[in-house]
Amino acid sequence: MDEESSQDHEEIFVRELTAHHDSLLRFVSTLVPNAADAEDVFQRASVSLWKKHAEYDESRSFFSWACRFLHFEVLNYRKRVARDRLSFSEDLI
């Protein structure tokens, strides 16, 4: 991919992510009930999406492609929460 084509691809990616931001965040919010955690999951997924943006096929649905990343990020979040579930605060101890 030449530099101009790469730049066009990046612009398309940013435009699509911006256009679908609210819908994608709502999708995460249905899977992660705490709003702050949902926002954190969304931000982590956005970084992953950016790292993989070259793999996005513009002929396919951006929303579906992004939801796949969000789903996996939610699963990772749930694993982290499950591991941390048994930790106690210093005040409690």
Side-chain angles (χ1 to χ4, degrees), residues 64-81:
S64 298
W65 181 75
C67 281
R68 184 183 70 192
F69 280 87
L70 291 167
H71 175 75
F72 286 118
E73 196 60 50
V74 167
L75 294 176
N76 289 334
Y77 160 79
R78 289 178 179 170
K79 285 179 190 175
R80 283 192 311 273
V81 168

Side-chain angles (χ1 to χ4, degrees), residues 48-73:
S48 296
L49 285 167
W50 177 251
K51 289 178 181 176
K52 300 284 188 173
H53 80 276
E55 296 175 17
Y56 170 57
D57 178 1
E58 296 167 20
S59 68
R60 303 188 65 147
S61 166
F62 179 85
F63 183 77
S64 298
W65 181 75
C67 281
R68 184 183 70 192
F69 280 87
L70 291 167
H71 175 75
F72 286 118
E73 196 60 50

